[in-house]
Amino acid sequence: MNQFGFYFDQTRCTGCSACRVACKDWNDIPAGPENWMRITYTEKGKCPDVFVSYLASPCWHCDNPMCAAACPVDAIHKREEDGIVVVDRDRCLGNSACDEKCRKACPYHAPQFGPEPGAKMGKCNLCLDRIQAGKKPICVDACPVRAIDAGPLDSLEKQYGRARTAAGFTYAKRVRPAVVFKPKPTSP
Ligand code: SF4
Ligand code: SF4
């Protein structure tokens, strides 16, 4: 399998949310709490020695996706050809019927739901439509500081290295997320 994944340069990200907004727009996600790309924030220290960093958090298309294992109706599967983890919303039972088993199983809480009762699960599919058209995911193109890249994981590792952790992110060995980082140093 030619596993696809993400690269995230934490030294560049300013937390501007352009990737999050572009993702909602491209994927027709209604206004509200459902965000397939989330931005989290880490702050440490005391003024004037303060450390601040951001983390873009989509789905990491794990090698061992616990979300898929947890789904009682096999609505989630990992594609053989590129390792992208996708959800079949027609099969999904909805959050109230199954108590969001996929979101609870995911160490990164990537599965997302709208506010309505019975909302079906949605999450990042690496913009599969764009990948299949030979393009990058919309978050990559939308980022004004080029903090995100995506593509075959072995190519990303060759270009950017193999760092698997960053501030605010823990590499979960049990799922093996498909991501490499340029982490922000916590001290100069
Ligand atoms: S990040 Fe979460 S939702 Fe995405 S494949 Fe991994 S376990 Fe599943
Ligand atoms: S919410 Fe849907 S996709 Fe998630 S575990 Fe339940 S049935 Fe499966």
Side-chain angles (χ1 to χ4, degrees):
M1 182 210 299
N2 188 21
Q3 173 73 54
F4 274 54
F6 278 108
Y7 165 70
F8 179 63
D9 184 343
Q10 193 169 43
T11 69
R12 288 178 172 242
C13 178
T14 62
C16 75
S17 269
C19 56
R20 184 180 66 79
V21 172
C23 172
K24 285 196 83 131
D25 184 43
W26 182 263
N27 291 295
D28 288 328
I29 304 167
E34 184 177 352
N35 284 292
W36 296 2
M37 173 67 90
R38 293 154 295 138
I39 313 294
T40 57
Y41 172 78
T42 300
E43 184 182 315
K44 294 178 192 168
K46 278 188 180 169
C47 188
D49 296 317
V50 177
F51 171 85
V52 171
S53 68
Y54 299 94
L55 180 75
S57 300
C59 162
W60 301 116
H61 303 282
C62 303
D63 190 35
N64 180 30
M66 300 298 281
C67 55
C71 178
V73 291
D74 291 332
I76 306 169
H77 88 275
K78 185 169 180 67
R79 288 163 47 92
E80 278 294 324
E81 53 272 60
D82 48 30
I84 295 173
V85 176
V86 293
V87 57
D88 179 344
R89 286 168 78 116
D90 290 334
R91 287 184 81 112
C92 173
L93 298 171
N95 55 356
S96 29
C98 95
D99 200 23
E100 304 184 9
K101 286 188 169 52
C102 52
R103 190 184 63 79
K104 289 178 177 169
C106 170
Y108 306 109
H109 301 302
Q112 296 284 296
F113 298 90
E116 68 280 12
K120 305 279 182 120
M121 190 272 266
K123 69 167 193 65
C124 161
N125 63 1
L126 241 162
C127 286
L128 188 54
D129 53 344
R130 294 174 61 88
I131 294 277
Q132 287 173 332
K135 298 178 181 173
K136 297 279 186 182
I138 196 71
C139 54
V140 175
D141 284 359
C143 177
V145 294
R146 294 278 177 266
I148 311 173
D149 200 356
L153 193 59
D154 54 1
S155 303
L156 296 174
E157 287 176 346
K158 276 186 197 132
Q159 189 170 354
Y160 301 115
R162 299 173 59 93
R164 289 286 199 265
T165 57
F169 180 88
T170 302
Y171 183 83
K173 286 185 186 163
R174 68 185 188 281
V175 295
R176 298 185 295 279
V179 58
V180 289
F181 290 101
K182 182 172 181 181
K184 185 169 182 177
T186 49
S187 54

